[in-house]
Amino acid sequence: GAILVSLLIIVGAVFALGGDKNPKREEQGTASMTIDKKNEDFGSMKVEEEKTATFTVINTSTDSVLRIWNIATSCDCTFATVVIKGQETGEFNMKAHMGEALRNWIGEVPAGEKAIMKVTYRPKVMPVQGPVTRQVTFSTNDPNNADVEVSVSANVL
C-alpha cells in the first residue's frame, strides 16, 4: 500500500510540476500591431562597449489588448527589456538562462498604446570581432505577426 501511495505521489508531482506552463496563443485573444522597424545597425563598436536599440510596438487595435510573450535572445551577449506604461521588465536572454518568471511573462499593451522593446548588445559577454547580427524573438496575439523577430548588428573592433 505504501509503495502504491508513494508511486501515485511521484507521478502526480511529475504531472503538476512538469506541465507546459508556456502561454497558449489560443488563450490570448486577438489584436493587431505594428512595429517601427525590424533591425538597427550599431555601426562599429569596441568589445568593451554596449549599445541599446529601441523598437516601438504599437497596438493598432481599437478595443483589444495586445499580448507579448515568449521573448528570447539569440545569444548570451544580447538582452531585451520591455517597457509598458512606464513599467520595465527584467532582462530577457536566451530561454535556458532566464528564470521562470521571465520565461512565462506576458505583457499587455492596451488598445492604441505602445510598448518599447530595448535590445542591448554587450560584446564583452561573448567576445567576437568583425560583423555580427543578434536577434530577439517574441510572440504576439496578432495573427498577422504571431512570431516577430528584431535584430541588431554591429562591427565589433
Side-chain angles (χ1 to χ4, degrees):
I3 294 174
L4 181 59
V5 170
S6 297
L7 185 60
L8 288 174
I9 290 172
I10 292 170
V11 170
V14 167
F15 278 106
L17 299 175
D20 181 11
K21 294 184 174 97
N22 287 329
K24 304 288 184 264
R25 185 177 311 284
E26 60 274 7
E27 298 170 358
Q28 302 307 317
T30 303
S32 60
M33 59 145 285
T34 60
I35 190 165
D36 66 336
K37 60 188 171 190
K38 292 284 187 100
N39 53 52
E40 183 161 324
D41 185 349
F42 291 140
S44 294
M45 63 187 291
K46 296 177 181 173
V47 170
E48 305 81 30
E49 288 183 274
E50 94 175 27
K51 292 190 179 182
T52 301
T54 58
F55 299 86
T56 304
V57 179
I58 301 169
N59 181 351
T60 55
S61 305
T62 57
D63 60 358
S64 299
V65 172
L66 175 68
R67 291 184 174 84
I68 300 170
W69 73 92
N70 202 27
I71 300 170
T73 68
S74 62
C75 181
D76 278 342
C77 60
T78 308
F79 302 85
T81 61
V82 178
V83 181
I84 300 173
K85 298 188 95 171
Q87 298 293 317
E88 189 164 0
T89 64
E91 287 188 324
F92 294 92
N93 195 245
M94 296 179 75
K95 286 260 187 225
H97 301 268
M98 285 189 290
E100 186 175 346
L102 285 175
R103 278 197 310 270
N104 295 321
W105 179 84
I106 301 175
E108 296 189 344
V109 183
E113 298 287 325
K114 65 183 176 184
I116 303 296
M117 179 171 287
K118 297 178 184 178
V119 177
T120 301
Y121 176 52
R122 298 179 184 134
K124 68 182 175 185
V125 174
M126 304 273 303
V128 297
Q129 286 188 329
V132 296
T133 300
R134 301 292 185 252
Q135 296 80 25
V136 175
T137 56
F138 61 95
S139 299
T140 78
N141 62 331
D142 176 348
N144 296 316
N145 292 288
D147 297 301
V148 180
E149 179 179 285
V150 297
S151 65
V152 294
S153 56
N155 183 35
V156 182
L157 305 174

